C-alpha cells in the first residue's frame, strides 16, 4: 500500500465509540453521572437494547450484551491497556470527585522535555478504561514536521493544513 500524507479518507472527527455492556442502565448512569454525558435519541429501527449518549464532542453508544454473565470481569487498572482519554480543566478537582464517588483509580505522570502531564485511570462498570489528563500541556510534534502547540482540535486543523501544503509543494 502506498504511503499517504494528509487526510486520504477526508475524515473530519471521531464520531463515537461503541461499548458492549452487562447493563445498559448501569453504564448510562456511569457515563451521565461520572463523565457528564447526556442521553440522545437513537434510531427507533434498532431491534436491540442500547443507548446513545453525547458529550465532550463525542458519542458513546452502549450496546446490551447478549450474554452479560459471560463478559469478562474487571481487570486490574493498567494504564497500558485500551482506553479513551479526556482532557480536564483541573486534575485536583477530578481526583477529589473520584475519591468522593469511591471510584478506584491509578495516578500516573508523563514527563517530556520538562513538560509534565498528569493522568488518572479508572474503569467504567464493564472494565473499559477511562483516562483523565491535562494532556493539552504536551505539544503534538509530528515526526516529520513542525511543532503544533497542543492536542486541541484547532491545532490539529493547523497541522492538517501544513501537511497539505507540504504535499502540494513537493
Amino acid at each position: 500500500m502506498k504511503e499517504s500524507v494528509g487526510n486520504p479518507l477526508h475524515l473530519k472527527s471521531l464520531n463515537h465509540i461503541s461499548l458492549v455492556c452487562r447493563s445498559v442502565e448501569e453504564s448510562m448512569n456511569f457515563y451521565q453521572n461520572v463523565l457528564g454525558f447526556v442521553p440522545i435519541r437513537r434510531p427507533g429501527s434498532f431491534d436491540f437494547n442500547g443507548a446513545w449518549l453525547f458529550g465532550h464532542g463525542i458519542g458513546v453508544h452502549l450496546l446490551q450484551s447478549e450474554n452479560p454473565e459471560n463478559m469478562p470481569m474487571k481487570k486490574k487498572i493498567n494504564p497500558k491497556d485500551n482506553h479513551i482519554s479526556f482532557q480536564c480543566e483541573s486534575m485536583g478537582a477530578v481526583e477529589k470527585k473520584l475519591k468522593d464517588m469511591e471510584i478506584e483509580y491509578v495516578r500516573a505522570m508523563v514527563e517530556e522535555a520538562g513538560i509534565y502531564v498528569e493522568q488518572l485511570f479508572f474503569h467504567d462498570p464493564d472494565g473499559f478504561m477511562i483516562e483523565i489528563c491535562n494532556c493539552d500541556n504536551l505539544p503534538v510534534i509530528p515526526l516529520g514536521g513542525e511543532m503544533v502547540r497542543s492536542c486541541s482540535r484547532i491545532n490539529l486543523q493547523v497541522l492538517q493544513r501544513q501537511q497539505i501544503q507540504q504535499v502540494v509543494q513537493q
Side-chain angles (χ1 to χ4, degrees), residues 26-40:
E26 186 178 348
S27 292
M28 277 187 67
N29 180 56
F30 175 87
Y31 282 91
Q32 285 180 265
N33 298 320
V34 176
L35 296 177
F37 281 79
V38 296
I40 60 172

Side-chain angles (χ1 to χ4, degrees), residues 99-135:
K99 284 179 184 176
D100 291 347
M101 292 188 277
E102 298 180 352
I103 295 175
E104 180 183 355
Y105 64 91
V106 168
R107 175 182 260 288
M109 177 83 72
V110 174
E111 185 272 332
E112 177 67 24
I115 298 170
Y116 294 89
V117 173
E118 297 174 81
Q119 302 166 297
L120 298 171
F121 294 90
F122 54 96
H123 287 140
D124 78 359
D126 296 294
F128 184 71
M129 185 131 45
I130 310 293
E131 172 189 358
I132 309 291
C133 69
N134 58 355
C135 300

